PDB file of all heavy atoms in Angstrom:
ATOM      1  N   LYS Z   1       5.694   6.892   2.943  1.00  0.00           N
ATOM      2  CA  LYS Z   1       5.012   8.208   3.477  1.00  0.00           C
ATOM      3  C   LYS Z   1       3.813   7.710   4.424  1.00  0.00           C
ATOM      4  O   LYS Z   1       3.165   6.779   4.107  1.00  0.00           O
ATOM      5  CB  LYS Z   1       4.439   8.931   2.396  1.00  0.00           C
ATOM      6  CG  LYS Z   1       3.874  10.274   2.856  1.00  0.00           C
ATOM      7  CD  LYS Z   1       3.628  11.235   1.662  1.00  0.00           C
ATOM      8  CE  LYS Z   1       2.373  10.555   0.814  1.00  0.00           C
ATOM      9  NZ  LYS Z   1       2.014  11.444  -0.187  1.00  0.00           N
ATOM     10  N   ILE Z   2       3.812   8.220   5.658  1.00  0.00           N
ATOM     11  CA  ILE Z   2       2.783   7.876   6.616  1.00  0.00           C
ATOM     12  C   ILE Z   2       1.470   8.423   6.135  1.00  0.00           C
ATOM     13  O   ILE Z   2       1.327   9.639   5.830  1.00  0.00           O
ATOM     14  CB  ILE Z   2       3.108   8.407   8.043  1.00  0.00           C
ATOM     15  CG1 ILE Z   2       4.337   7.770   8.470  1.00  0.00           C
ATOM     16  CG2 ILE Z   2       1.971   8.162   9.029  1.00  0.00           C
ATOM     17  CD1 ILE Z   2       4.802   8.424   9.857  1.00  0.00           C
ATOM     18  N   ASP Z   3       0.391   7.593   6.195  1.00  0.00           N
ATOM     19  CA  ASP Z   3      -0.946   7.944   5.892  1.00  0.00           C
ATOM     20  C   ASP Z   3      -1.537   8.256   7.244  1.00  0.00           C
ATOM     21  O   ASP Z   3      -1.860   7.357   8.009  1.00  0.00           O
ATOM     22  CB  ASP Z   3      -1.630   6.828   5.133  1.00  0.00           C
ATOM     23  CG  ASP Z   3      -3.134   7.267   4.863  1.00  0.00           C
ATOM     24  OD1 ASP Z   3      -3.525   8.101   4.048  1.00  0.00           O
ATOM     25  OD2 ASP Z   3      -4.005   6.554   5.651  1.00  0.00           O
ATOM     26  N   MET Z   4      -1.788   9.524   7.488  1.00  0.00           N
ATOM     27  CA  MET Z   4      -2.315   9.996   8.755  1.00  0.00           C
ATOM     28  C   MET Z   4      -3.723   9.284   9.124  1.00  0.00           C
ATOM     29  O   MET Z   4      -3.936   8.982  10.234  1.00  0.00           O
ATOM     30  CB  MET Z   4      -2.192  11.455   9.000  1.00  0.00           C
ATOM     31  CG  MET Z   4      -0.901  12.018   8.818  1.00  0.00           C
ATOM     32  SD  MET Z   4       0.233  11.490  10.100  1.00  0.00           S
ATOM     33  CE  MET Z   4      -0.575  11.943  11.652  1.00  0.00           C
ATOM     34  N   VAL Z   5      -4.646   9.448   8.231  1.00  0.00           N
ATOM     35  CA  VAL Z   5      -5.958   8.869   8.470  1.00  0.00           C
ATOM     36  C   VAL Z   5      -6.016   7.407   8.861  1.00  0.00           C
ATOM     37  O   VAL Z   5      -6.510   7.017   9.920  1.00  0.00           O
ATOM     38  CB  VAL Z   5      -6.868   9.151   7.233  1.00  0.00           C
ATOM     39  CG1 VAL Z   5      -8.202   8.462   7.455  1.00  0.00           C
ATOM     40  CG2 VAL Z   5      -7.002  10.554   6.873  1.00  0.00           C
ATOM     41  N   GLY Z   6      -5.251   6.564   8.255  1.00  0.00           N
ATOM     42  CA  GLY Z   6      -5.170   5.258   8.542  1.00  0.00           C
ATOM     43  C   GLY Z   6      -4.399   4.952   9.815  1.00  0.00           C
ATOM     44  O   GLY Z   6      -4.775   4.073  10.600  1.00  0.00           O
ATOM     45  N   THR Z   7      -3.418   5.791   9.989  1.00  0.00           N
ATOM     46  CA  THR Z   7      -2.521   5.670  11.219  1.00  0.00           C
ATOM     47  C   THR Z   7      -3.408   5.986  12.555  1.00  0.00           C
ATOM     48  O   THR Z   7      -3.449   5.343  13.491  1.00  0.00           O
ATOM     49  CB  THR Z   7      -1.367   6.398  11.194  1.00  0.00           C
ATOM     50  OG1 THR Z   7      -0.521   5.989  10.092  1.00  0.00           O
ATOM     51  CG2 THR Z   7      -0.477   6.372  12.608  1.00  0.00           C
ATOM     52  N   VAL Z   8      -4.200   7.058  12.420  1.00  0.00           N
ATOM     53  CA  VAL Z   8      -5.147   7.516  13.542  1.00  0.00           C
ATOM     54  C   VAL Z   8      -6.104   6.444  13.875  1.00  0.00           C
ATOM     55  O   VAL Z   8      -6.427   6.109  15.011  1.00  0.00           O
ATOM     56  CB  VAL Z   8      -5.769   8.748  13.134  1.00  0.00           C
ATOM     57  CG1 VAL Z   8      -6.921   9.049  14.229  1.00  0.00           C
ATOM     58  CG2 VAL Z   8      -4.771   9.913  13.156  1.00  0.00           C
ATOM     59  N   LYS Z   9      -6.626   5.742  12.670  1.00  0.00           N
ATOM     60  CA  LYS Z   9      -7.702   4.727  12.850  1.00  0.00           C
ATOM     61  C   LYS Z   9      -7.071   3.624  13.685  1.00  0.00           C
ATOM     62  O   LYS Z   9      -7.698   2.834  14.497  1.00  0.00           O
ATOM     63  CB  LYS Z   9      -8.154   4.193  11.625  1.00  0.00           C
ATOM     64  CG  LYS Z   9      -9.201   5.201  10.865  1.00  0.00           C
ATOM     65  CD  LYS Z   9      -9.680   4.560   9.560  1.00  0.00           C
ATOM     66  CE  LYS Z   9     -10.775   5.564   8.907  1.00  0.00           C
ATOM     67  NZ  LYS Z   9     -11.159   4.961   7.607  1.00  0.00           N
ATOM     68  N   ASN Z  10      -5.772   3.144  13.299  1.00  0.00           N
ATOM     69  CA  ASN Z  10      -5.103   2.210  13.916  1.00  0.00           C
ATOM     70  C   ASN Z  10      -4.984   2.439  15.480  1.00  0.00           C
ATOM     71  O   ASN Z  10      -5.092   1.635  16.395  1.00  0.00           O
ATOM     72  CB  ASN Z  10      -3.636   1.986  13.376  1.00  0.00           C
ATOM     73  CG  ASN Z  10      -3.716   1.289  12.060  1.00  0.00           C
ATOM     74  OD1 ASN Z  10      -4.777   0.551  11.715  1.00  0.00           O
ATOM     75  ND2 ASN Z  10      -2.656   1.392  11.190  1.00  0.00           N
ATOM     76  N   LYS Z  11      -4.542   3.736  15.726  1.00  0.00           N
ATOM     77  CA  LYS Z  11      -4.444   4.189  17.169  1.00  0.00           C
ATOM     78  C   LYS Z  11      -5.825   4.022  17.895  1.00  0.00           C
ATOM     79  O   LYS Z  11      -5.880   3.606  19.095  1.00  0.00           O
ATOM     80  CB  LYS Z  11      -3.958   5.641  17.182  1.00  0.00           C
ATOM     81  CG  LYS Z  11      -3.689   6.318  18.505  1.00  0.00           C
ATOM     82  CD  LYS Z  11      -2.360   5.665  18.915  1.00  0.00           C
ATOM     83  CE  LYS Z  11      -1.887   6.502  20.260  1.00  0.00           C
ATOM     84  NZ  LYS Z  11      -0.651   5.990  20.671  1.00  0.00           N
ATOM     85  N   ILE Z  12      -6.871   4.429  17.341  1.00  0.00           N
ATOM     86  CA  ILE Z  12      -8.183   4.370  17.930  1.00  0.00           C
ATOM     87  C   ILE Z  12      -8.501   2.918  18.365  1.00  0.00           C
ATOM     88  O   ILE Z  12      -9.121   2.494  19.330  1.00  0.00           O
ATOM     89  CB  ILE Z  12      -9.119   4.985  17.004  1.00  0.00           C
ATOM     90  CG1 ILE Z  12      -9.040   6.487  16.964  1.00  0.00           C
ATOM     91  CG2 ILE Z  12     -10.685   4.663  17.511  1.00  0.00           C
ATOM     92  CD1 ILE Z  12      -9.918   7.248  15.898  1.00  0.00           C
ATOM     93  N   ASN Z  13      -8.182   2.024  17.333  1.00  0.00           N
ATOM     94  CA  ASN Z  13      -8.379   0.609  17.371  1.00  0.00           C
ATOM     95  C   ASN Z  13      -7.354  -0.066  18.306  1.00  0.00           C
ATOM     96  O   ASN Z  13      -7.359  -1.405  18.220  1.00  0.00           O
ATOM     97  CB  ASN Z  13      -8.562  -0.062  16.035  1.00  0.00           C
ATOM     98  CG  ASN Z  13      -9.753   0.400  15.358  1.00  0.00           C
ATOM     99  OD1 ASN Z  13     -10.832   0.776  15.909  1.00  0.00           O
ATOM    100  ND2 ASN Z  13      -9.667   0.487  13.947  1.00  0.00           N
ATOM    101  N   ARG Z  14      -6.464   0.672  18.855  1.00  0.00           N
ATOM    102  CA  ARG Z  14      -5.409   0.254  19.672  1.00  0.00           C
ATOM    103  C   ARG Z  14      -4.542  -0.897  18.917  1.00  0.00           C
ATOM    104  O   ARG Z  14      -4.034  -1.748  19.514  1.00  0.00           O
ATOM    105  CB  ARG Z  14      -5.973  -0.468  20.914  1.00  0.00           C
ATOM    106  CG  ARG Z  14      -6.810   0.414  21.816  1.00  0.00           C
ATOM    107  CD  ARG Z  14      -7.364  -0.087  23.049  1.00  0.00           C
ATOM    108  NE  ARG Z  14      -8.020   0.810  23.931  1.00  0.00           N
ATOM    109  CZ  ARG Z  14      -8.546   0.420  25.054  1.00  0.00           C
ATOM    110  NH1 ARG Z  14      -8.445  -0.747  25.546  1.00  0.00           N
ATOM    111  NH2 ARG Z  14      -9.191   1.502  25.728  1.00  0.00           N
ATOM    112  N   ARG Z  15      -4.309  -0.524  17.711  1.00  0.00           N
ATOM    113  CA  ARG Z  15      -3.337  -1.355  16.973  1.00  0.00           C
ATOM    114  C   ARG Z  15      -2.026  -0.529  16.810  1.00  0.00           C
ATOM    115  O   ARG Z  15      -1.971   0.636  16.450  1.00  0.00           O
ATOM    116  CB  ARG Z  15      -3.880  -1.652  15.560  1.00  0.00           C
ATOM    117  CG  ARG Z  15      -5.219  -2.479  15.438  1.00  0.00           C
ATOM    118  CD  ARG Z  15      -5.571  -2.787  14.105  1.00  0.00           C
ATOM    119  NE  ARG Z  15      -4.464  -3.435  13.317  1.00  0.00           N
ATOM    120  CZ  ARG Z  15      -4.022  -3.209  12.119  1.00  0.00           C
ATOM    121  NH1 ARG Z  15      -4.848  -2.295  11.339  1.00  0.00           N
ATOM    122  NH2 ARG Z  15      -3.214  -3.822  11.465  1.00  0.00           N
ATOM    123  N   LYS Z  16      -0.890  -1.157  17.226  1.00  0.00           N
ATOM    124  CA  LYS Z  16       0.394  -0.534  17.178  1.00  0.00           C
ATOM    125  C   LYS Z  16       1.051  -0.676  15.747  1.00  0.00           C
ATOM    126  O   LYS Z  16       1.858  -1.471  15.498  1.00  0.00           O
ATOM    127  CB  LYS Z  16       1.284  -1.037  18.160  1.00  0.00           C
ATOM    128  CG  LYS Z  16       0.851  -0.711  19.598  1.00  0.00           C
ATOM    129  CD  LYS Z  16       1.796  -1.325  20.621  1.00  0.00           C
ATOM    130  CE  LYS Z  16       1.397  -1.060  22.082  1.00  0.00           C
ATOM    131  NZ  LYS Z  16       2.320  -1.590  23.039  1.00  0.00           N
ATOM    132  N   ALA Z  17       0.471   0.061  14.799  1.00  0.00           N
ATOM    133  CA  ALA Z  17       0.848  -0.069  13.411  1.00  0.00           C
ATOM    134  C   ALA Z  17       0.731   1.377  12.667  1.00  0.00           C
ATOM    135  O   ALA Z  17      -0.155   1.973  13.066  1.00  0.00           O
ATOM    136  CB  ALA Z  17       0.057  -1.066  12.606  1.00  0.00           C
ATOM    137  N   LEU Z  18       1.675   1.592  11.839  1.00  0.00           N
ATOM    138  CA  LEU Z  18       1.672   2.929  11.051  1.00  0.00           C
ATOM    139  C   LEU Z  18       1.071   2.473   9.656  1.00  0.00           C
ATOM    140  O   LEU Z  18       1.605   1.504   8.911  1.00  0.00           O
ATOM    141  CB  LEU Z  18       3.057   3.413  10.862  1.00  0.00           C
ATOM    142  CG  LEU Z  18       3.670   3.863  12.125  1.00  0.00           C
ATOM    143  CD1 LEU Z  18       5.209   4.195  11.944  1.00  0.00           C
ATOM    144  CD2 LEU Z  18       3.077   5.023  12.768  1.00  0.00           C
ATOM    145  N   THR Z  19       0.100   3.211   9.100  1.00  0.00           N
ATOM    146  CA  THR Z  19      -0.292   3.019   7.780  1.00  0.00           C
ATOM    147  C   THR Z  19       0.571   3.804   6.894  1.00  0.00           C
ATOM    148  O   THR Z  19       0.720   5.048   7.203  1.00  0.00           O
ATOM    149  CB  THR Z  19      -1.844   3.473   7.614  1.00  0.00           C
ATOM    150  OG1 THR Z  19      -2.643   2.695   8.516  1.00  0.00           O
ATOM    151  CG2 THR Z  19      -2.343   3.241   6.213  1.00  0.00           C
ATOM    152  N   CYS Z  20       1.145   3.229   5.962  1.00  0.00           N
ATOM    153  CA  CYS Z  20       2.062   3.909   5.096  1.00  0.00           C
ATOM    154  C   CYS Z  20       1.744   3.735   3.662  1.00  0.00           C
ATOM    155  O   CYS Z  20       1.210   2.672   3.166  1.00  0.00           O
ATOM    156  CB  CYS Z  20       3.491   3.381   5.292  1.00  0.00           C
ATOM    157  SG  CYS Z  20       4.116   3.507   6.980  1.00  0.00           S
ATOM    158  N   GLU Z  21       1.891   4.813   2.864  1.00  0.00           N
ATOM    159  CA  GLU Z  21       1.889   4.640   1.333  1.00  0.00           C
ATOM    160  C   GLU Z  21       3.303   4.700   0.798  1.00  0.00           C
ATOM    161  O   GLU Z  21       4.217   5.465   1.192  1.00  0.00           O
ATOM    162  CB  GLU Z  21       1.181   5.944   0.805  1.00  0.00           C
ATOM    163  CG  GLU Z  21      -0.224   6.168   1.355  1.00  0.00           C
ATOM    164  CD  GLU Z  21      -0.928   7.442   0.792  1.00  0.00           C
ATOM    165  OE1 GLU Z  21      -0.135   8.110   0.278  1.00  0.00           O
ATOM    166  OE2 GLU Z  21      -2.099   7.533   1.031  1.00  0.00           O
ATOM    167  N   TYR Z  22       3.468   3.729  -0.136  1.00  0.00           N
ATOM    168  CA  TYR Z  22       4.826   3.491  -0.676  1.00  0.00           C
ATOM    169  C   TYR Z  22       4.706   2.998  -2.115  1.00  0.00           C
ATOM    170  O   TYR Z  22       3.757   2.484  -2.536  1.00  0.00           O
ATOM    171  CB  TYR Z  22       5.617   2.587   0.133  1.00  0.00           C
ATOM    172  CG  TYR Z  22       5.051   1.026   0.244  1.00  0.00           C
ATOM    173  CD1 TYR Z  22       5.588   0.131  -0.740  1.00  0.00           C
ATOM    174  CD2 TYR Z  22       4.028   0.844   1.014  1.00  0.00           C
ATOM    175  CE1 TYR Z  22       4.915  -1.131  -0.731  1.00  0.00           C
ATOM    176  CE2 TYR Z  22       3.412  -0.421   1.045  1.00  0.00           C
ATOM    177  CZ  TYR Z  22       3.904  -1.416   0.217  1.00  0.00           C
ATOM    178  OH  TYR Z  22       3.436  -2.604   0.190  1.00  0.00           O
ATOM    179  N   ASP Z  23       5.855   3.298  -2.886  1.00  0.00           N
ATOM    180  CA  ASP Z  23       5.791   2.927  -4.283  1.00  0.00           C
ATOM    181  C   ASP Z  23       6.794   1.753  -4.366  1.00  0.00           C
ATOM    182  O   ASP Z  23       7.811   1.621  -3.682  1.00  0.00           O
ATOM    183  CB  ASP Z  23       6.488   3.963  -5.120  1.00  0.00           C
ATOM    184  CG  ASP Z  23       5.419   5.167  -5.231  1.00  0.00           C
ATOM    185  OD1 ASP Z  23       4.186   4.850  -5.129  1.00  0.00           O
ATOM    186  OD2 ASP Z  23       5.929   6.249  -5.457  1.00  0.00           O
ATOM    187  N   GLU Z  24       6.426   0.796  -5.190  1.00  0.00           N
ATOM    188  CA  GLU Z  24       7.153  -0.478  -5.381  1.00  0.00           C
ATOM    189  C   GLU Z  24       7.417  -0.737  -6.809  1.00  0.00           C
ATOM    190  O   GLU Z  24       6.491  -0.722  -7.558  1.00  0.00           O
ATOM    191  CB  GLU Z  24       6.418  -1.731  -4.740  1.00  0.00           C
ATOM    192  CG  GLU Z  24       7.204  -3.008  -4.767  1.00  0.00           C
ATOM    193  CD  GLU Z  24       6.503  -3.991  -3.944  1.00  0.00           C
ATOM    194  OE1 GLU Z  24       5.364  -4.432  -4.376  1.00  0.00           O
ATOM    195  OE2 GLU Z  24       7.077  -4.485  -2.881  1.00  0.00           O
ATOM    196  N   LEU Z  25       8.633  -1.078  -7.131  1.00  0.00           N
ATOM    197  CA  LEU Z  25       8.963  -1.465  -8.563  1.00  0.00           C
ATOM    198  C   LEU Z  25       8.467  -2.852  -8.826  1.00  0.00           C
ATOM    199  O   LEU Z  25       8.876  -3.724  -8.285  1.00  0.00           O
ATOM    200  CB  LEU Z  25      10.512  -1.327  -8.729  1.00  0.00           C
ATOM    201  CG  LEU Z  25      11.170  -1.160 -10.157  1.00  0.00           C
ATOM    202  CD1 LEU Z  25      10.446   0.144 -10.849  1.00  0.00           C
ATOM    203  CD2 LEU Z  25      12.578  -1.066 -10.057  1.00  0.00           C
ATOM    204  N   THR Z  26       7.719  -3.015  -9.873  1.00  0.00           N
ATOM    205  CA  THR Z  26       7.083  -4.343 -10.110  1.00  0.00           C
ATOM    206  C   THR Z  26       6.956  -4.700 -11.681  1.00  0.00           C
ATOM    207  O   THR Z  26       6.863  -3.747 -12.501  1.00  0.00           O
ATOM    208  CB  THR Z  26       5.659  -4.312  -9.492  1.00  0.00           C
ATOM    209  OG1 THR Z  26       4.980  -5.662  -9.844  1.00  0.00           O
ATOM    210  CG2 THR Z  26       4.712  -3.143 -10.014  1.00  0.00           C
ATOM    211  N   GLU Z  27       7.042  -5.997 -11.937  1.00  0.00           N
ATOM    212  CA  GLU Z  27       6.817  -6.453 -13.282  1.00  0.00           C
ATOM    213  C   GLU Z  27       5.389  -6.497 -13.584  1.00  0.00           C
ATOM    214  O   GLU Z  27       4.860  -6.865 -14.741  1.00  0.00           O
ATOM    215  CB  GLU Z  27       7.487  -7.819 -13.455  1.00  0.00           C
ATOM    216  CG  GLU Z  27       8.925  -7.695 -13.155  1.00  0.00           C
ATOM    217  CD  GLU Z  27       9.621  -9.071 -12.965  1.00  0.00           C
ATOM    218  OE1 GLU Z  27       8.887 -10.023 -12.869  1.00  0.00           O
ATOM    219  OE2 GLU Z  27      10.869  -9.263 -13.087  1.00  0.00           O
ATOM    220  N   ASN Z  28       4.445  -6.431 -12.531  1.00  0.00           N
ATOM    221  CA  ASN Z  28       3.024  -6.653 -12.805  1.00  0.00           C
ATOM    222  C   ASN Z  28       2.318  -5.293 -13.291  1.00  0.00           C
ATOM    223  O   ASN Z  28       1.732  -4.577 -12.687  1.00  0.00           O
ATOM    224  CB  ASN Z  28       2.348  -7.002 -11.437  1.00  0.00           C
ATOM    225  CG  ASN Z  28       0.862  -7.384 -11.660  1.00  0.00           C
ATOM    226  OD1 ASN Z  28       0.588  -7.825 -12.753  1.00  0.00           O
ATOM    227  ND2 ASN Z  28       0.052  -7.218 -10.615  1.00  0.00           N
ATOM    228  N   ASN Z  29       2.684  -5.002 -14.584  1.00  0.00           N
ATOM    229  CA  ASN Z  29       2.255  -3.793 -15.191  1.00  0.00           C
ATOM    230  C   ASN Z  29       1.521  -4.154 -16.447  1.00  0.00           C
ATOM    231  O   ASN Z  29       1.430  -5.307 -16.841  1.00  0.00           O
ATOM    232  CB  ASN Z  29       3.340  -2.836 -15.503  1.00  0.00           C
ATOM    233  CG  ASN Z  29       4.494  -3.436 -16.213  1.00  0.00           C
ATOM    234  OD1 ASN Z  29       4.310  -3.848 -17.418  1.00  0.00           O
ATOM    235  ND2 ASN Z  29       5.647  -3.679 -15.668  1.00  0.00           N
ATOM    236  N   ILE Z  30       0.784  -3.191 -17.072  1.00  0.00           N
ATOM    237  CA  ILE Z  30      -0.017  -3.374 -18.283  1.00  0.00           C
ATOM    238  C   ILE Z  30       0.707  -4.103 -19.384  1.00  0.00           C
ATOM    239  O   ILE Z  30       0.122  -4.956 -20.124  1.00  0.00           O
ATOM    240  CB  ILE Z  30      -0.773  -2.152 -18.660  1.00  0.00           C
ATOM    241  CG1 ILE Z  30      -1.812  -2.423 -19.858  1.00  0.00           C
ATOM    242  CG2 ILE Z  30       0.165  -1.228 -19.227  1.00  0.00           C
ATOM    243  CD1 ILE Z  30      -2.984  -3.300 -19.315  1.00  0.00           C
ATOM    244  N   PHE Z  31       1.946  -3.743 -19.665  1.00  0.00           N
ATOM    245  CA  PHE Z  31       2.622  -4.385 -20.699  1.00  0.00           C
ATOM    246  C   PHE Z  31       2.854  -5.900 -20.466  1.00  0.00           C
ATOM    247  O   PHE Z  31       2.576  -6.615 -21.486  1.00  0.00           O
ATOM    248  CB  PHE Z  31       4.049  -3.673 -20.828  1.00  0.00           C
ATOM    249  CG  PHE Z  31       3.978  -2.261 -21.209  1.00  0.00           C
ATOM    250  CD1 PHE Z  31       3.846  -1.241 -20.150  1.00  0.00           C
ATOM    251  CD2 PHE Z  31       3.876  -1.770 -22.484  1.00  0.00           C
ATOM    252  CE1 PHE Z  31       3.807  -0.023 -20.449  1.00  0.00           C
ATOM    253  CE2 PHE Z  31       3.796  -0.329 -22.688  1.00  0.00           C
ATOM    254  CZ  PHE Z  31       3.685   0.543 -21.721  1.00  0.00           C
ATOM    255  N   ASN Z  32       3.383  -6.189 -19.298  1.00  0.00           N
ATOM    256  CA  ASN Z  32       3.603  -7.695 -19.112  1.00  0.00           C
ATOM    257  C   ASN Z  32       2.241  -8.448 -18.869  1.00  0.00           C
ATOM    258  O   ASN Z  32       2.163  -9.712 -19.279  1.00  0.00           O
ATOM    259  CB  ASN Z  32       4.379  -7.854 -17.866  1.00  0.00           C
ATOM    260  CG  ASN Z  32       5.832  -7.384 -18.066  1.00  0.00           C
ATOM    261  OD1 ASN Z  32       6.350  -7.702 -19.112  1.00  0.00           O
ATOM    262  ND2 ASN Z  32       6.538  -6.795 -17.108  1.00  0.00           N
ATOM    263  N   GLN Z  33       1.256  -7.782 -18.389  1.00  0.00           N
ATOM    264  CA  GLN Z  33      -0.038  -8.334 -18.216  1.00  0.00           C
ATOM    265  C   GLN Z  33      -0.695  -8.618 -19.531  1.00  0.00           C
ATOM    266  O   GLN Z  33      -1.348  -9.803 -19.729  1.00  0.00           O
ATOM    267  CB  GLN Z  33      -0.952  -7.533 -17.529  1.00  0.00           C
ATOM    268  CG  GLN Z  33      -0.675  -7.308 -16.054  1.00  0.00           C
ATOM    269  CD  GLN Z  33      -1.423  -6.097 -15.327  1.00  0.00           C
ATOM    270  OE1 GLN Z  33      -2.169  -5.312 -16.003  1.00  0.00           O
ATOM    271  NE2 GLN Z  33      -1.336  -5.987 -14.079  1.00  0.00           N
ATOM    272  N   ILE Z  34      -0.443  -7.808 -20.628  1.00  0.00           N
ATOM    273  CA  ILE Z  34      -1.025  -8.078 -22.015  1.00  0.00           C
ATOM    274  C   ILE Z  34      -0.186  -9.306 -22.577  1.00  0.00           C
ATOM    275  O   ILE Z  34      -0.931 -10.169 -23.119  1.00  0.00           O
ATOM    276  CB  ILE Z  34      -0.890  -6.854 -22.864  1.00  0.00           C
ATOM    277  CG1 ILE Z  34      -1.812  -5.746 -22.496  1.00  0.00           C
ATOM    278  CG2 ILE Z  34      -1.048  -7.242 -24.386  1.00  0.00           C
ATOM    279  CD1 ILE Z  34      -1.642  -4.417 -23.089  1.00  0.00           C
ATOM    280  N   ILE Z  35       0.986  -9.300 -22.313  1.00  0.00           N
ATOM    281  CA  ILE Z  35       1.786 -10.510 -23.017  1.00  0.00           C
ATOM    282  C   ILE Z  35       1.330 -11.724 -22.287  1.00  0.00           C
ATOM    283  O   ILE Z  35       1.287 -12.728 -22.889  1.00  0.00           O
ATOM    284  CB  ILE Z  35       3.329 -10.208 -22.687  1.00  0.00           C
ATOM    285  CG1 ILE Z  35       3.648  -9.126 -23.599  1.00  0.00           C
ATOM    286  CG2 ILE Z  35       4.105 -11.514 -23.081  1.00  0.00           C
ATOM    287  CD1 ILE Z  35       5.154  -8.582 -23.393  1.00  0.00           C
ATOM    288  N   LYS Z  36       1.293 -11.819 -20.943  1.00  0.00           N
ATOM    289  CA  LYS Z  36       0.765 -13.070 -20.266  1.00  0.00           C
ATOM    290  C   LYS Z  36      -0.649 -13.474 -20.687  1.00  0.00           C
ATOM    291  O   LYS Z  36      -0.848 -14.634 -20.958  1.00  0.00           O
ATOM    292  CB  LYS Z  36       0.903 -12.867 -18.757  1.00  0.00           C
ATOM    293  CG  LYS Z  36       0.451 -14.144 -17.989  1.00  0.00           C
ATOM    294  CD  LYS Z  36       0.784 -14.001 -16.593  1.00  0.00           C
ATOM    295  CE  LYS Z  36       0.508 -15.406 -15.872  1.00  0.00           C
ATOM    296  NZ  LYS Z  36       0.839 -15.295 -14.359  1.00  0.00           N
ATOM    297  N   THR Z  37      -1.538 -12.578 -20.824  1.00  0.00           N
ATOM    298  CA  THR Z  37      -2.900 -12.841 -21.262  1.00  0.00           C
ATOM    299  C   THR Z  37      -2.912 -13.461 -22.547  1.00  0.00           C
ATOM    300  O   THR Z  37      -3.643 -14.489 -22.799  1.00  0.00           O
ATOM    301  CB  THR Z  37      -3.792 -11.526 -21.127  1.00  0.00           C
ATOM    302  OG1 THR Z  37      -3.854 -11.033 -19.798  1.00  0.00           O
ATOM    303  CG2 THR Z  37      -5.198 -11.871 -21.519  1.00  0.00           C
TER     304      THR Z  37
END
């Protein structure tokens, strides 16, 4: 999903990039963190 605030800041700073919010499936969660610790 496009983050409009971040994308507008990029536009002002003349950066050709879209700021996006996204979800990622990861093993780096509290359960595995406790086991590793």
Side-chain angles (χ1 to χ4, degrees):
K1 183 173 65 175
I2 296 176
D3 177 70
M4 294 304 299
V5 174
T7 300
V8 169
K9 285 182 179 179
N10 287 340
K11 187 75 172 176
I12 294 172
N13 294 327
R14 298 184 179 182
R15 295 183 60 221
K16 295 182 179 180
L18 299 171
T19 300
C20 300
E21 295 179 352
Y22 63 97
D23 292 333
E24 186 173 65
L25 199 58
T26 177
E27 296 165 351
N28 189 26
N29 52 66
I30 187 64
F31 297 92
N32 291 321
Q33 289 168 353
I34 289 174
I35 290 172
K36 183 170 184 177
T37 299

